[in-house]
Amino acid sequence: MRLEVKDIHKKFGEKEVLHGISFQVESGKALGLLGRNGAGKTTTIRILMDVFHANSGEILLDGKKFVPAKHRIGYLPEERGLYPKRKVVDQMVYLAVLRGMKKGEAKESAKKWLARLEVEQYRDSKLETLSKGNQQKVQLASTLVHNPEIVILDEPFSGLDPVNSQILKDVVNELIAEGRLVIFSSHQMSYVEEFCDNIAIINQGEVVLAGELKEIKKEYGRDRLMLSAEKLSVEELAQKVERDWQELVTVQERKKDFLVLALRDGADRRMCLEKLAKSDLVVERFGIFEPSLNDIFVSKVGE
């Protein structure tokens, strides 16, 4: 499957909150939908699920108009929505039946997902009696209980300890490997980097960056180097570089334990290596700088 969101505009009253949102995602791959709070991510997701209607634009699935009611969609919202005083298994079965499953099939699927997420022992417990992390795992099980072909996960790792986070990582990787279409939204950039082939960053209702994450990193790292040296703090090394390397690089950023250097016009990595060979620096690290997704995100929306 190939889902395309094309030039979506949305107004609430006189205020336009989405100004032409466009991105695409394919089954078997995950899209990281990113943005600061209030950027428009949730509104975009609600339009995708037909909770809101766009003022203009279109959403296509395999080139045809996307009708959410005709497809199995699993949505894990950031704000959780299960019933705290109902038994876990009862509400999972109820939700699965609402989404088109027969009751017997729903019971089997609920049993499978509770076991897979290691919360089977709580099947007959009221949700409110569970820890926050186990409630989150039940919420995810409820998202997947009806075997969705499209999965939208908004901050899925919220409240999970490292062990439970690993269980969820394994599940997400399985969904991607099975060919599901996955949209993943999180402020925890390390998870987005781990799962997502493509990203779309929304800022103030506009997509400010979209594409293949690997290529975006390559482009952002172009003409940038990393350097650290023994017996010199980052600040001491920066002063030395600014004094002795003026014709080759500028100090672009001071990280915790290394510098990020930007090549000047006409300079290249070979020239820097030759400069290093002639210097008295005892080099710890030198090479091409690959920015993290967090670096890229802050550079686009961190004003």
Side-chain angles (χ1 to χ4, degrees):
M1 292 187 296
R2 181 186 184 90
L3 185 73
E4 298 174 88
V5 175
K6 290 188 169 185
D7 198 29
I8 295 295
H9 290 254
K10 176 63 180 174
K11 285 184 176 181
F12 291 109
E14 294 300 313
K15 183 178 180 181
E16 186 172 78
V17 296
L18 300 182
H19 316 297
I21 298 294
S22 297
F23 58 82
Q24 59 188 31
V25 55
E26 298 180 10
S27 56
K29 295 184 178 180
L31 171 79
L33 187 63
L34 310 174
R36 297 175 70 176
N37 294 331
K41 303 188 303 298
T42 300
T43 300
T44 301
I45 290 171
R46 287 174 177 171
I47 290 171
L48 180 61
M49 297 181 62
D50 207 25
V51 176
F52 294 158
H53 297 295
N55 295 100
S56 62
E58 61 181 350
I59 301 175
L60 305 176
L61 184 66
D62 294 333
K64 299 177 181 179
K65 182 179 179 181
F66 177 56
V67 182
K70 294 182 178 180
H71 299 276
R72 298 189 308 277
I73 302 174
Y75 176 41
L76 178 71
E78 183 175 4
E79 297 297 329
R80 309 312 179 208
L82 295 181
Y83 302 105
K85 296 187 181 299
R86 293 286 300 275
K87 289 183 179 180
V88 165
V89 71
D90 289 349
Q91 56 186 312
M92 284 184 65
V93 170
Y94 170 71
L95 290 171
V97 170
L98 279 183
R99 292 161 176 167
M101 272 189 161
K102 294 181 180 179
K103 192 168 184 179
E105 185 184 12
K107 286 181 177 179
E108 286 301 312
S109 184
K111 180 179 178 181
K112 181 192 85 169
W113 280 109
L114 289 173
R116 178 66 187 85
L117 290 164
E118 300 184 7
V119 283
E120 190 176 22
Q121 66 270 36
Y122 303 116
R123 66 185 309 275
D124 293 316
S125 301
K126 292 182 179 179
L127 187 71
E128 64 183 1
T129 65
L130 276 59
S131 68
K132 184 178 179 181
N134 284 328
Q135 287 188 30
Q136 178 70 347
K137 290 199 288 183
V138 169
Q139 183 90 31
L140 180 64
S142 301
T143 300
L144 302 175
V145 68
H146 62 300
N147 192 31
E149 53 193 331
I150 299 171
V151 180
I152 302 170
L153 304 174
D154 194 353
E155 295 294 352
F157 290 93
S158 176
L160 297 183
D161 60 36
V163 173
N164 284 326
S165 291
Q166 186 59 53
I167 295 170
L168 180 50
K169 285 181 188 179
D170 293 341
V171 169
V172 173
N173 280 321
E174 288 166 13
L175 295 172
I176 295 168
E178 289 168 2
R180 315 290 179 101
L181 193 153
V182 178
I183 297 175
F184 186 91
S185 181
S186 178
H187 291 112
Q188 295 171 282
M189 297 296 164
S190 60
Y191 292 131
V192 178
E193 287 189 279
E194 186 167 349
F195 297 124
C196 298
D197 297 285
N198 300 284
I199 62 167
I201 298 178
I202 300 176
N203 190 39
Q204 297 180 3
E206 298 180 6
V207 174
V208 294
L209 184 66
E212 187 179 357
L213 181 55
K214 182 171 64 176
E215 292 302 315
I216 289 171
K217 281 190 168 190
K218 187 184 296 183
E219 182 62 31
Y220 268 73
R222 193 181 303 279
D223 297 330
R224 294 206 288 175
L225 303 171
M226 60 186 300
L227 176 66
S228 64
E230 290 184 7
K231 299 181 181 179
L232 288 180
S233 67
V234 167
E235 188 55 44
E236 290 169 335
L237 182 59
Q239 292 173 5
K240 186 174 181 63
V241 168
E242 288 171 341
R243 183 181 66 243
D244 300 338
W245 293 43
Q246 292 180 15
E247 74 282 7
L248 296 177
V249 298
T250 59
V251 176
Q252 188 173 66
E253 192 175 353
R254 293 162 169 82
K255 296 288 189 180
K256 182 179 179 181
D257 54 359
F258 65 90
L259 294 178
V260 179
L261 308 176
L263 289 168
R264 291 189 182 276
D265 290 343
D268 58 32
R269 294 193 296 273
R270 177 187 55 79
M271 296 166 69
C272 292
L273 274 171
E274 291 173 354
K275 184 82 173 179
L276 275 176
K278 296 174 182 177
S279 76
D280 59 353
L281 290 175
V282 181
V283 176
E284 286 182 328
R285 282 190 287 178
F286 175 76
I288 298 171
F289 173 66
E290 180 179 285
S292 67
L293 180 55
N294 192 70
D295 292 325
I296 295 168
F297 182 83
V298 170
S299 76
K300 296 302 293 184
V301 306
E303 70 279 359

